[in-house]
């Protein structure tokens, strides 16, 4: 009985948003705080979107409104419904989430103006760099891509500072000289407060919360119900 609740997520009494992973929440001092940008990055299949969905359910369980910016077209409401069963949430919780299907960089940038005019309690950007890399793939376009993405991240930072709305972004990895690193990491690191790296570790997975002083590790697994802790 108790095991069925380890995937469930809730907002604690001081307003932090829990992630659904007990060890991760402990590392974060209770969960995600207001006025912060959290960067969840890792290779494909490591649970980045799953973790973002758990955070969404967490926020919506308190009747909060969520904005989900979908840059890849991979948002699946049925996955949210499946994960929500452990919380015994009614299907009408989907009314609390606004999904913005973004197809180009200009739309991604312009959508931020609409966010500022709304009463959302959480913002999710699922794959924040995908469209920028798609539209500016050539070597000679690096400067323009850097300028455009820096402008976008700066505006995100201003939004969370002014509105106190927590923002969660997910991001992909890319290979540089046979080594994997976060896509456009040098820009993202300037504007994010929390960096969570997810990676495959043999049959299961390992996460790291990275800060300038140290790296905190946690182990997790992925099931139909979402991410859960491993000892």
């Amino acid at each position: 009985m108790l095991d069925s609740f380890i995937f469930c997520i809730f907002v604690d009494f001081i307003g932090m948003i829990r992630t659904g992973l007990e060890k991760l929440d402990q590392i974060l001092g209770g969960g995600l705080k207001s006025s912060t940008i959290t960067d969840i990055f890792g290779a494909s299949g490591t649970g980045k979107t799953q973790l973002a969905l758990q955070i969404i359910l967490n926020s919506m369980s308190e009747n909060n409104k969520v904005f989900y910016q979908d840059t890849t077209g991979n948002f699946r409401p049925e996955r949210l419904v499946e994960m929500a069963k452990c919380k015994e949430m009614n299907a009408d919780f989907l009314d609390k989430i606004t999904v913005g299907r973004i197809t180009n960089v200009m739309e991604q940038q312009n959508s931020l103006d609409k966010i500022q005019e709304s009463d959302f309690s959480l913002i999710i950007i699922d794959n924040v760099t995908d469209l920028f890399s798609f539209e500016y793939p050539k070597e000679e376009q690096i400067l323009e891509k850097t300028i455009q993405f820096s402008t976008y991240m700066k505006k995100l930072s201003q939004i969370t500072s002014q509105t106190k709305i927590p923002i969660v972004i997910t991001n992909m990895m890319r290979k540089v000289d046979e080594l994997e690193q976060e896509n456009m990491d040098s820009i993202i690191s300037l504007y994010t407060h929390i960096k969570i790296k997810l990676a495959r570790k043999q049959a299961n997975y390992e996460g790291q919360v990275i800060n300038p002083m140290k790296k905190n590790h946690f182990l997790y697994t992925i099931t139909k119900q979402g991410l859960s802790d491993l000892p």
Side-chain angles (χ1 to χ4, degrees), residues 94-113:
L94 288 172
D95 294 338
K96 302 184 184 75
I97 180 170
T98 299
V99 179
R101 175 67 182 101
I102 309 300
T103 60
N104 57 64
V105 167
M106 182 174 292
E107 287 181 353
Q108 188 168 344
Q109 292 170 325
N110 291 341
S111 69
L112 297 186
D113 295 326

Side-chain angles (χ1 to χ4, degrees), residues 39-48 127-130 133 170-176 178-185 188 195-200 206 208 210:
D39 172 27
I40 303 172
F41 67 99
S44 177
T46 54
K48 302 183 298 293
N127 207 324
V128 69
T129 64
D130 186 69
S133 293
T170 70
N171 195 22
M172 58 188 178
M173 306 287 283
R174 64 187 180 93
K175 278 194 173 182
V176 179
E178 299 305 314
L179 296 175
E180 281 198 336
Q181 68 180 54
E182 183 181 9
N183 194 37
M184 304 187 76
D185 173 60
I188 287 181
K195 294 180 70 67
I196 302 172
K197 181 180 180 180
L198 304 181
R200 188 179 295 274
E206 180 181 63
Q208 297 178 6
I210 303 171

